[in-house]
Amino acid sequence: MAAGRRLDLPVVDLASPDRRAAAKSIRQACVEYGFFYVINHGIERALLERVFADSRKFFEQTMEEKMALGKNSRYRGYTWPYSEKVDDSPESRGDSKETFYIGPMDEENLENNINQWPCEELFPSWKKTMQSYHANALTTGKGILSLIALSLDLDAEFFHKNGAFEPPSAFLRLLHYAGDVNGPDNKDIFGAAAHSDYGMLTLLATDGTPGLQICREKDRHPQIWEDVHHIDGSLIVNIGDLLERWTNCVFRSTLHRVVPVGKERYSVAFFIDPSPNLVVKCMESCCSEAYPARFAPIKSGDYIEERLSSTYKLATS
């Protein structure tokens, strides 16, 4: 597939002592792009390297071995190529990627038992590595959300105080894109077709392989796609549909996709959604009599479940 335009997204330093300036940069990024980079994010390089190494080891197994941990009714575990479909066109087979989902891991929460794990004999450090990354990424995400709150003229602790993290619904997703799907007969095959993320915030680490593209004007025809390049040591951050609803479209949830580039690609996505029971409604700072709320209030868990169900229903229809 043809490369898109190169895109230079804003870079936000999470270690900056000037939190107001960082929040201002994030606001500009969320209004104009829906995407930005963060550096000095607090997740150690060594931990990221272990996550990628263990992810690669898992996906290198046979399909039979991976399917032994096939996704359960709560979307934990392995999803195989073409089992997910976000493009409803009849020509689309679905996404060619394969993934592994790991959900919330609060030890006091019984849902912790829903997660699936490879056997310790073959993957002795796998569970500990993923648990460590989950915890670190959640801390980083909460810090970014504090800056987002400031950028919206809210208390920095807005998301904590309104119950968004009681408990947080955070999913770690390992992704593998095969390198052999490119070619003239596969022009309609995507690693991940055009979509926007469902929840509040996504943190993405990549192995440096290109392929991620965004479309800032989703209603434009033809659509213009721009390449999101890799910055060593950074995370790519984007907002999801629920945060767009929360901000009354002040912030934009942006279409993005992964196109095949003729080589394998690994990435690690971390999705932070509000507590399933939290009702998401327009923030007071984002609506007024002249600019009323555009979306009806909705329970976070209901919205996410509806979107996930649609993704898998399309793939089997």
Side-chain angles (χ1 to χ4, degrees):
M1 292 185 181
R5 301 178 179 181
R6 180 184 169 93
L7 179 66
D8 292 314
L9 294 169
V11 179
V12 179
D13 185 352
L14 295 185
S16 171
D18 191 343
R19 285 171 55 80
R20 288 288 175 183
K24 183 178 179 181
S25 295
I26 286 178
R27 182 184 178 96
Q28 180 182 359
C30 291
V31 168
E32 295 185 7
Y33 304 97
F35 273 73
F36 55 96
Y37 301 98
V38 293
I39 57 174
N40 294 320
H41 45 71
I43 302 176
E44 294 182 357
R45 180 184 292 268
L47 175 57
L48 267 168
E49 289 175 349
R50 292 198 301 273
V51 171
F52 275 100
D54 280 352
S55 174
R56 180 182 294 272
K57 182 179 179 181
F58 176 83
F59 289 120
E60 285 176 346
Q61 295 183 110
T62 66
M63 182 57 70
E64 182 181 7
E65 290 170 323
K66 290 181 286 192
M67 287 298 293
L69 293 175
K71 74 172 179 68
N72 57 29
S73 61
R74 300 301 299 276
Y75 307 105
R76 270 73 157 181
Y78 175 70
T79 66
W80 49 99
Y82 307 107
S83 64
E84 297 181 345
K85 185 177 178 182
V86 293
D87 181 352
D88 59 5
S89 65
E91 296 82 15
S92 173
R93 290 179 57 192
D95 292 353
S96 65
K97 69 181 182 295
E98 56 180 345
T99 78
F100 195 95
Y101 274 108
I102 302 167
M105 290 187 287
D106 183 350
E107 292 184 358
E108 297 179 1
N109 190 332
L110 292 178
E111 285 197 346
N112 187 37
N113 299 325
I114 298 172
N115 284 315
Q116 302 194 75
W117 307 101
C119 70
E120 290 189 22
E121 185 177 351
L122 295 177
F123 295 86
S125 63
W126 211 89
K127 182 177 181 180
K128 183 178 180 181
T129 294
M130 300 307 166
Q131 287 177 322
S132 180
Y133 187 81
H134 194 287
N136 278 263
L138 182 57
T139 297
T140 297
K142 286 180 176 180
I144 295 170
L145 285 164
S146 288
L147 291 172
I148 284 176
L150 286 175
S151 80
L152 293 164
D153 299 321
L154 300 167
D155 187 301
E157 300 303 306
F158 170 81
F159 292 103
H160 291 266
K161 291 178 178 178
N162 80 344
F165 303 132
E166 296 178 5
S169 181
F171 279 81
L172 173 58
R173 192 181 198 193
L174 311 175
L175 299 109
H176 172 233
Y177 302 87
D180 56 359
V181 298
N182 202 9
D185 296 330
N186 294 322
K187 62 181 180 179
D188 294 323
I189 293 180
F190 292 90
H195 66 285
S196 56
D197 290 345
Y198 308 153
M200 189 159 54
L201 195 71
T202 303
L203 280 59
L204 181 73
T206 79
D207 65 356
T209 304
L212 177 62
Q213 299 180 331
I214 73 170
C215 175
R216 286 186 273 169
E217 298 181 60
K218 55 189 173 185
D219 296 323
R220 177 174 175 164
H221 297 284
Q223 291 176 331
I224 296 175
W225 290 92
E226 300 171 288
D227 291 319
V228 179
H229 62 278
H230 176 75
I231 297 180
D232 193 41
S234 73
L235 296 175
I236 300 166
V237 180
N238 66 278
I239 66 169
D241 296 336
L242 274 179
L243 191 57
E244 180 181 77
R245 294 173 69 101
W246 226 333
T247 65
N248 209 24
C249 295
V250 172
F251 287 177
R252 301 178 1 166
S253 177
T254 304
L255 279 182
H256 52 285
R257 68 185 186 183
V258 177
V259 298
V261 293
K263 62 182 293 188
E264 279 188 305
R265 182 178 188 271
Y266 288 87
S267 62
V268 179
F270 189 76
F271 303 101
I272 303 178
D273 303 330
S275 171
N277 292 319
L278 183 72
V279 175
V280 174
K281 58 184 178 180
C282 182
M283 297 172 177
E284 290 185 5
S285 64
C286 297
C287 60
S288 64
E289 188 173 324
Y291 191 64
R294 299 177 60 176
F295 303 101
I298 190 168
K299 189 180 290 187
S300 171
D302 292 345
Y303 181 82
I304 298 294
E305 177 62 31
E306 179 183 336
R307 294 289 300 274
L308 282 169
S309 297
S310 174
T311 296
Y312 291 103
K313 185 180 295 182
L314 280 172
T316 57
S317 61

